[in-house]
Amino acid sequence: MSSSPIERTVFVVSDSTGITAETFSNSVLSQFAQFEFQAIRIPFIDTIEKAQSVADRINQCAQEQGQQPLVFSTLVDPKMAHIIGAANCTFLDLFGAFVRHIERALGVKSSRSVGRSHSGGMSKRYNNRIEAINFSLAHDDGQYVNGLEQADVILVGVSRCGKTPTSLYLAMQYAVKAANYPIIPEDFQRGTLPATLAPYRKKIFGLSIHPDRLSEVRNERRPGSKYATIEQCRMEVAEAERLMRMEGIPWLSTTTKSIEEISTKILDDVGLDRRSY
């Protein structure tokens, strides 16, 4: 009989959204499977008073639980970071740890500007991301074929294999204009991809999925339908993979891969520059 996971509290503290610190903490803490981490994200800590309030909350947590919570911080202001770090906790200063090394390497001091990484709502990078998201939404599931020449990548695959979430992730994270187009039984009968996609062959990347998993996903959407039967899923997956091999389209199975892994593989194979926010 397996033992219950050990519970620990984690604070994620930031002067901005806290997304960077949260992403980093999730990656690091995933290496400690024997623990169950209760994460508390506290964003927009941009005054000394707010920092002191967070420190008090951390101290109270340590007292109630009888152990130091972990604190992941991306606070830019050293005074506020010092206040949090002085609390009864294990303090992990993600910003300071890297900035100090970079300052020494470059021979200059950083600007220490609060919220710099997410600033500039009208900046070019921000606008590129919004434009990419709008493009991906408009070109989801083959619903709009005009403008495909603007696509950075066109994802193809059977229905419910993960094309839409991957397209949106690429748009939001990397400002990649990702369209997606379903491969349907009519395409199997013709033995070719839709004519609409022919001019953009070099932009096409295929996604597949194990038939058993596909059947599970489809049954959540249309339970008991022919569309969701294991026989239908096996046929569609086999035919789609055959078609992609015949057309020389690079592809991968999404069955056991995270959306981050899928997107990274697409970026590498298609040769796109990563445009992270």
Side-chain angles (χ1 to χ4, degrees):
M1 183 176 180
S2 60
S3 58
S4 300
I6 306 167
E7 295 185 359
R8 289 295 295 268
T9 299
V10 177
F11 286 87
V12 178
V13 185
S14 174
D15 48 40
S16 186
T17 62
I19 293 174
T20 301
E22 185 174 42
T23 300
F24 183 85
S25 67
N26 287 339
S27 297
V28 173
L29 296 177
S30 67
Q31 303 301 312
F32 301 90
Q34 67 270 42
F35 288 86
E36 182 174 303
F37 296 102
Q38 176 64 42
I40 301 172
R41 177 151 62 105
I42 308 178
F44 307 118
I45 303 304
D46 50 10
T47 67
I48 295 296
E49 291 74 20
K50 289 181 181 179
Q52 187 58 61
S53 176
V54 173
D56 293 341
R57 184 174 176 183
I58 292 170
N59 287 333
Q60 182 180 355
C61 177
Q63 182 177 2
E64 292 175 351
Q65 297 182 358
Q67 58 187 359
Q68 290 185 333
L70 302 176
V71 177
F72 288 84
S73 165
T74 49
L75 292 169
V76 174
D77 190 312
K79 293 180 180 178
M80 287 189 281
H82 178 74
I83 291 172
I84 302 296
N88 187 12
C89 65
T90 299
F91 184 66
L92 302 160
D93 183 6
L94 306 182
F95 187 87
F98 290 101
V99 168
R100 284 191 292 272
H101 290 292
I102 297 172
E103 286 177 337
R104 283 198 295 269
L106 299 180
V108 296
K109 291 291 184 180
S110 68
S111 64
R112 301 276 175 169
S113 300
V114 174
R116 187 71 177 240
S117 65
H118 297 283
S119 65
M122 297 307 290
S123 69
K124 183 179 180 180
R125 285 195 299 172
Y126 181 85
N127 287 337
N128 286 343
R129 287 168 55 206
I130 297 302
E131 185 179 346
I133 292 169
N134 288 333
F135 180 90
S136 295
L137 288 171
H139 294 83
D140 179 46
D141 206 32
Q143 62 182 333
Y144 188 66
V145 296
N146 291 332
L148 283 178
E149 69 279 359
Q150 299 175 34
D152 296 310
V153 64
I154 301 171
L155 303 181
V156 298
V158 298
S159 171
R160 312 305 291 180
C161 70
K163 300 185 300 300
T164 295
T166 302
S167 296
L168 290 175
Y169 182 85
L170 286 167
M172 289 187 286
Q173 287 291 104
Y174 301 110
V176 167
K177 291 182 178 178
N180 73 79
Y181 209 97
I183 298 179
I184 58 177
E186 285 80 356
D187 299 320
F188 308 148
Q189 294 170 13
R190 286 195 308 270
T192 61
L193 289 172
T196 305
L197 302 181
Y200 315 109
R201 182 179 299 272
K202 292 182 179 180
K203 298 181 179 183
I204 297 176
F205 191 95
L207 299 182
S208 189
I209 188 172
H210 194 280
D212 290 344
R213 176 57 184 153
L214 181 61
S215 180
E216 290 176 8
V217 174
R218 288 184 173 184
N219 266 302
E220 292 174 2
R221 185 178 180 86
R222 295 189 203 169
S225 65
K226 179 183 178 182
Y227 166 79
T229 62
I230 187 62
E231 293 79 14
Q232 181 70 18
C233 292
R234 285 173 180 160
M235 182 277 291
E236 289 190 32
V237 169
E239 288 297 316
E241 291 181 359
R242 182 188 65 80
L243 183 57
M244 288 187 284
R245 284 193 293 267
M246 185 178 67
E247 295 278 356
I249 295 170
W251 61 275
L252 62 79
S253 174
T254 64
T255 310
T256 60
K257 291 181 173 59
S258 67
I259 196 167
E260 292 86 356
E261 291 175 299
I262 297 166
S263 299
T264 299
K265 180 66 174 174
I266 292 169
L267 291 170
D268 288 344
D269 279 19
V270 180
L272 293 170
D273 293 329
R274 297 187 183 187
R275 286 160 279 187
S276 64
Y277 60 74

